């Protein structure tokens, strides 16, 4: 990950900061990192962009106490959001006009089959990301807006796209293809792409480290359980199967998404329930999953309700856990030998009851959770299986921003040390 050191005395020697941008349709999350020690200098979030109730939360992390500053009131668009964030950073002496800024790394949700690695953004790359809008209509347009806005702010700086799909491009064809007519599928680029790849890559590597092995030596199942949720099977460092498909709708039960469903349910909703395609889209993406099942999508609230004897919450929990078990079993079969099952993201890192219930009864697969270890709260990667267990069960906090910063900095560093002209975006690896 560490890039080759740059030439002594060149201006680039100073440039060891990376700004990470995650642009959503109505929000921008940002982090500024110092790549000397990979520490955070500041983190922030602009939400409800375009509404009267826009809000910016900015936390500088260079001083002793991390105190969050808040701005409220309409922030018209992404350009205004980034400008406001830049002002906050400048107020902390971390202005984006600084020569210390080496690059801006963007999270881009869909990279199709073309982008298998982080890529310096050229006009041609941006055109290709635009060409993928039909398969990622909810995500790529916001990512493109974020990129254009950042380019306008610092046209001289390398901008790097880090794709959510990239880690999954190693999936074998038999795992990536749907069993539908090949011509139709190919004409419309219908196949399984997978998402959350930056997290699956980071967490599977960290899990190998926790086991004291190299990524090439281990097979792991990663369960990324946030509001969106996905599983992946990683063999010797390469993704061989993942639960999300053409879109992030497939797979596990999520906060508001149904996950796996008989596709005929959609015909039924249209023909019998009289719903439009857009209404079905909203139903399955925004009103299903835990929210649709019990009215809450936050696992903390669901557990509180279960403790009070709420049956709908209990059933939602059971459906969520049942789907997880099915995937653990399926991916154990896909991998043949499993060295670790790893929990990550908001639910995976924090919910001991979900981890306990998902692993319960899987002793035949070599999986056991130690109740004491599972109850420990920690921000560190840790094992929650007993020593005697054949397969490790672990909790590994994800860090997608750090992974994006690492990949961005490594790419820019590699290109510079190879004498390539990075800032104008001529490098497309
Ligand atoms: P996102 O997918 O939006 O990035 P996160 O990975 O931050 O989401 O996960 C958010 C979810 O994590 C929340 O909706 C909630 O269900 C769950 N969560 C967060 N903290 C806890 C906790 N202490 N206990 C149980 N669940 C938690």
């Amino acid at each position: 990950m560490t890039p080759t050191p740059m030439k002594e005395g060149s201006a680039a020697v100073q440039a060891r900061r990376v700004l990470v941008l995650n642009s959503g349709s109505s929000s921008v999350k940002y982090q500024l990192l110092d790549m000397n020690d990979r520490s955070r200098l500041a983190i922030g979030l602009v939400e409800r962009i375009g509404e009267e109730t826009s809000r910016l939360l900015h936390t500088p992390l260079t001083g002793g106490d991390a105190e969050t500053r808040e701005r409220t009131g309409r922030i018209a668009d992404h350009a205004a959001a980034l400008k406001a964030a830049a002002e906050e950073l400048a107020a902390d002496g971390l202005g984006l006009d600084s020569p210390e800024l080496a690059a801006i790394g963007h999270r881009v949700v869909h990279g199709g089959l073309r982008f298998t690695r982080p890529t310096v953004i050229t006009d041609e790359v941006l055109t290709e990301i635009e060409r993928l809008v039909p398969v990622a209509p909810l995500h790529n347009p916001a990512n493109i807006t974020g990129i254009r806005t950042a380019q306008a702010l610092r046209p001289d700086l390398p901008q790097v796209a880090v794709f959510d799909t990239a880690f999954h491009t190693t999936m074998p064809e038999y795992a990536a293809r749907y069993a539908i007519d090949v011509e139709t599928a190919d004409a419309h680029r219908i196949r399984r792409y997978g998402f959350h790849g930056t997290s699956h890559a980071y967490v599977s590597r960290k899990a190998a480290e926790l086991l004291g092995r190299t990524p090439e030596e281990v097979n792991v199942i990663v369960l990324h359980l946030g509001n969106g949720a996905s599983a992946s099977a990683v063999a010797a460092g390469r993704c061989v199967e993942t639960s999300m498909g053409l879109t992030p709708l497939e797979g596990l039960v999520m906060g508001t998404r149904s996950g796996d469903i008989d596709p005929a349910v959609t015909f039924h909703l249209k023909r019998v329930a009289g719903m439009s395609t857009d209404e079905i889209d909203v139903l399955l993406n925004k009103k299903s999953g835990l929210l649709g099942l019990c009215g809450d999508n936050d696992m903390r609230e669901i557990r509180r309700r279960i403790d009070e004897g709420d049956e709908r919450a209990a059933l939602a929990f059971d459906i969520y856990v049942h789907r997880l078990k099915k995937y653990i079993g399926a991916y154990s079969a896909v991998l043949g030998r499993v060295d670790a099952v790893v929990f990550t993201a908001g639910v995976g890192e924090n919910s001991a009851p979900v981890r306990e219930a998902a692993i319960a009864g899987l002793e035949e697969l070599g999986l056991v959770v130690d109740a004491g270890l599972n109850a420990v709260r920690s921000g560190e990667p840790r094992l929650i299986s007993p020593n005697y267990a054949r397969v490790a069960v672990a909790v590994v906090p994800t860090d997608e921003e750090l992974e994006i910063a690492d990949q961005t900095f490594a790419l820019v560093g590699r290109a510079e040390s190879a004498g390539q002209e990075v800032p104008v975006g001529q490098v497309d690896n």
Side-chain angles (χ1 to χ4, degrees):
M1 276 286 148
T2 315
T4 317
M6 293 164 202
K7 291 186 292 291
E8 272 303 315
S10 78
V13 170
Q14 309 299 328
R16 297 186 68 85
R17 287 182 188 162
V18 171
L19 178 71
V20 175
L21 285 183
N22 182 352
S23 306
S25 56
S26 64
S27 71
V28 175
K29 292 183 197 147
Y30 61 90
Q31 295 198 0
L32 184 67
L33 289 96
D34 177 350
M35 300 313 288
N36 284 308
D37 56 0
R38 298 160 81 228
S39 63
R40 262 83 173 168
L41 299 170
I43 60 174
L45 159 73
V46 187
E47 57 188 0
R48 299 194 286 273
I49 294 171
E51 295 178 31
E52 293 308 317
T53 57
S54 310
R55 182 164 80 140
L56 181 149
L57 296 173
H58 176 88
T59 312
L61 300 169
T62 43
D65 288 338
E67 208 163 299
T68 300
R69 300 197 294 269
E70 182 175 356
R71 274 197 203 188
T72 50
R74 183 175 157 82
I75 294 176
D77 51 26
H78 283 71
L82 197 55
K83 187 164 162 283
E87 285 167 9
E88 292 297 334
L89 286 163
D92 299 324
L94 300 168
L96 297 184
D97 52 357
S98 163
E100 291 182 65
L101 189 61
I104 300 179
H106 296 266
R107 176 188 184 208
V108 178
V109 169
H110 215 310
L113 291 181
R114 156 86 190 274
F115 298 112
T116 59
R117 278 184 284 172
T119 304
V120 173
I121 301 167
T122 60
D123 288 347
E124 195 262 323
V125 167
L126 204 50
T127 304
E128 186 60 23
I129 297 171
E130 272 166 352
R131 242 172 49 79
L132 289 162
V133 166
V135 283
L138 299 178
H139 297 101
N140 275 27
N143 302 155
I144 292 163
T145 306
I147 292 168
R148 289 200 191 286
T149 305
Q151 283 179 329
L153 196 75
R154 282 294 303 265
D156 58 315
L157 214 59
Q159 313 262 339
V160 173
V162 179
F163 299 93
D164 260 30
T165 46
F167 185 60
H168 305 303
T169 54
T170 52
M171 271 197 290
E173 196 66 2
Y174 55 75
R177 270 204 184 267
Y178 292 110
I180 62 172
D181 171 67
V182 170
E183 278 77 35
T184 307
D186 288 352
H188 300 285
R189 289 182 286 180
I190 297 169
R191 59 188 285 122
R192 308 187 57 250
Y193 294 98
F195 299 89
H196 290 148
T198 308
S199 176
H200 287 284
Y202 176 84
V203 169
S204 56
R205 241 186 16 250
K206 278 275 174 193
E209 203 177 297
L210 183 67
L211 299 180
R213 317 268 285 278
T214 67
E216 291 72 30
E217 290 171 331
V218 294
N219 289 348
V220 299
I221 296 173
V222 178
L223 303 168
H224 176 112
L225 311 178
N227 201 24
S230 62
S232 68
V234 184
R238 291 163 68 85
C239 177
V240 294
E241 177 59 283
T242 195
S243 60
M244 285 177 165
L246 173 73
T247 76
L249 184 55
E250 190 178 344
L252 301 175
V253 176
M254 312 185 206
T256 66
R257 298 191 194 115
S258 63
D260 294 337
I261 198 166
D262 179 347
V265 169
T266 58
F267 318 149
H268 192 84
L269 288 169
K270 200 157 188 172
R271 292 184 190 132
V272 180
M275 292 175 73
S276 69
T277 305
D278 285 348
E279 284 169 340
I280 298 169
D281 192 333
V282 170
L283 177 78
L284 297 181
N285 273 297
K286 304 233 164 95
K287 297 183 181 172
S288 295
L290 293 169
L291 182 71
L293 288 166
C294 74
D296 271 309
N297 61 336
D298 191 313
M299 194 51 82
R300 286 163 287 201
E301 187 56 20
I302 291 170
R303 289 303 310 175
R304 196 191 56 72
R305 284 173 55 187
I306 293 172
D307 289 344
E308 288 173 356
D310 186 319
E311 287 181 12
R312 263 183 78 190
L315 179 59
F317 183 85
D318 289 348
I319 294 169
Y320 183 91
V321 166
H322 177 67
R323 186 80 53 87
L324 271 177
K325 267 190 207 295
K326 289 209 292 188
Y327 271 89
I328 294 169
Y331 287 7
S332 297
V334 165
L335 288 170
R337 188 202 81 227
V338 181
D339 297 293
V341 173
V342 192
F343 289 88
T344 193
V347 176
E349 290 167 30
N350 295 297
S351 180
V354 166
R355 296 192 298 255
E356 183 192 330
I359 300 298
L362 301 184
E363 294 81 3
E364 286 294 318
L365 296 178
L367 291 163
V368 187
V369 161
D370 177 285
L373 293 175
N374 192 31
V376 173
R377 296 194 62 82
S378 156
E380 295 299 314
R382 58 202 184 272
L383 291 176
I384 57 168
S385 48
N387 284 338
Y388 64 81
R390 195 152 45 79
V391 179
V393 183
V395 179
V396 174
T398 192
D399 196 336
E400 287 160 285
E401 288 77 16
L402 180 61
E403 180 72 10
I404 292 172
D406 274 339
Q407 294 196 9
T408 298
F409 195 58
L411 177 57
V412 171
R414 263 203 311 276
E416 287 202 350
S417 63
Q420 289 166 296
E421 189 72 17
V422 193
V424 286
Q426 294 303 307
V427 181
D428 175 15
N429 62 325

